[in-house]
Amino acid sequence: MNERILALDIGDARIGVAVSDASRTIATPVEVIHRVGYGPDVRRILELCQQYDTQLILSGWPLNMDGTAGFQSKKVEQFCQQLEKAGLTVYYQDERLTTVTAEHALLEDNMHRKERKQNVDKVAAAVILQQWLDTLHQQAYAWQPRVYHRKNPINTPNGHESEENTMSENMNENIIELIDDETGEAVSFEHLATIEHEGVFYIALAEVTDNEEAECEVFIMQIAEDEDGAECYVQVEDEAVQQAVFDKFLELMAEEEE
């Protein structure tokens, strides 16, 4: 369960407030704070943070239409600095056209003009927050490791090849076909080595191409098991681990050359 995010649409007279759910998927309007001064305004936001058990704030960032920060941006920044002094962590989200989006949403709900004026700020805060949450989920999805399977696993003890048996005399035996679980596409690789690092096994692969002059790029993948217990290969996201395994691979190749 993630920590909720409290979003603010900060204006000179009012502050619209919205909050995310615990999964950081949906933004919900909360209330409109009528501004009195830094002290009372910050205290009310701290009360809301306590209510929703969070110390994370997302503030709308009022940029000019050309993307530059103006006078209003400076005032928002100064207020957010007070929130940071109170122990909160503040993120910023471009809020251009969010008020217009909020107005359209309220119009679609057939809300009267007076009601729209009373609610537009917190709905604008929800729009700001929803945009941020959607971007967050898109980025998380984009960085999900790719998973691959193959039909014919390497026949080695315990399913893994020892460091001493990194290269086969018959190169054709080292060509494996991996299936991308996400796209279903098959790609042929040359299996270069299986490497153990801190109790985890990895494989070093090079994509098979028809261009003999093309530079050989080595891919490092972790050997894992899927939900059904079948062997699969997962991209390594940790750059430090990837580099450590690659260094071991280079050492093995140097030993083979000797």
Side-chain angles (χ1 to χ4, degrees), residues 147-162:
V147 179
Y148 298 83
H149 282 82
R150 65 178 178 180
K151 297 179 181 178
N152 300 315
I154 299 174
N155 295 320
T156 55
N158 300 322
H160 302 305
E161 189 174 18
S162 66

Side-chain angles (χ1 to χ4, degrees), residues 119-258:
N119 289 277
V120 67
D121 297 296
K122 63 181 180 182
V123 174
V127 171
I128 292 168
L129 179 55
Q130 192 64 59
Q131 291 174 345
W132 189 82
L133 294 174
D134 292 344
T135 301
L136 192 69
H137 281 278
Q138 289 170 4
Q139 291 174 344
Y141 178 79
W143 284 101
Q144 284 181 347
R146 304 290 284 273
V147 179
Y148 298 83
H149 282 82
R150 65 178 178 180
K151 297 179 181 178
N152 300 315
I154 299 174
N155 295 320
T156 55
N158 300 322
H160 302 305
E161 189 174 18
S162 66
E163 294 183 3
E164 290 77 12
N165 299 321
T166 57
M167 299 292 287
S168 169
E169 292 181 3
N170 185 348
M171 292 300 293
N172 288 331
E173 292 180 3
N174 280 341
I175 303 303
I176 60 176
E177 187 177 69
L178 295 187
I179 308 297
D180 186 333
D181 281 9
E182 184 178 334
T183 65
E185 296 180 357
V187 183
S188 294
F189 289 92
E190 179 186 349
H191 174 258
L192 304 177
T194 300
I195 305 152
E196 186 272 336
H197 175 66
E198 296 184 350
V200 180
F201 284 91
Y202 301 84
I203 54 173
L205 305 171
E207 187 173 350
V208 176
T209 65
D210 296 329
N211 185 359
E212 296 182 356
E213 298 180 357
E215 183 177 351
C216 177
E217 182 179 1
V218 177
F219 299 91
I220 303 295
M221 294 187 186
Q222 179 183 339
I223 302 175
E225 289 186 354
D226 62 16
E227 296 177 353
D228 299 323
E231 186 175 277
C232 64
Y233 307 88
V234 183
Q235 287 181 328
V236 181
E237 292 186 90
D238 190 317
E239 293 183 2
V241 172
Q242 191 175 69
Q243 186 62 52
V245 175
F246 184 70
D247 289 342
K248 285 189 175 182
F249 165 75
L250 293 179
E251 292 175 5
L252 290 172
M253 294 302 99
E255 292 175 4
E256 288 290 332
E257 290 179 0
E258 292 175 1

Side-chain angles (χ1 to χ4, degrees), residues 30-46:
V30 174
E31 68 173 62
V32 175
I33 300 172
H34 294 273
R35 299 197 62 173
V36 178
Y38 276 174
D41 299 344
V42 170
R43 282 195 295 273
R44 179 54 189 156
I45 292 170
L46 288 173

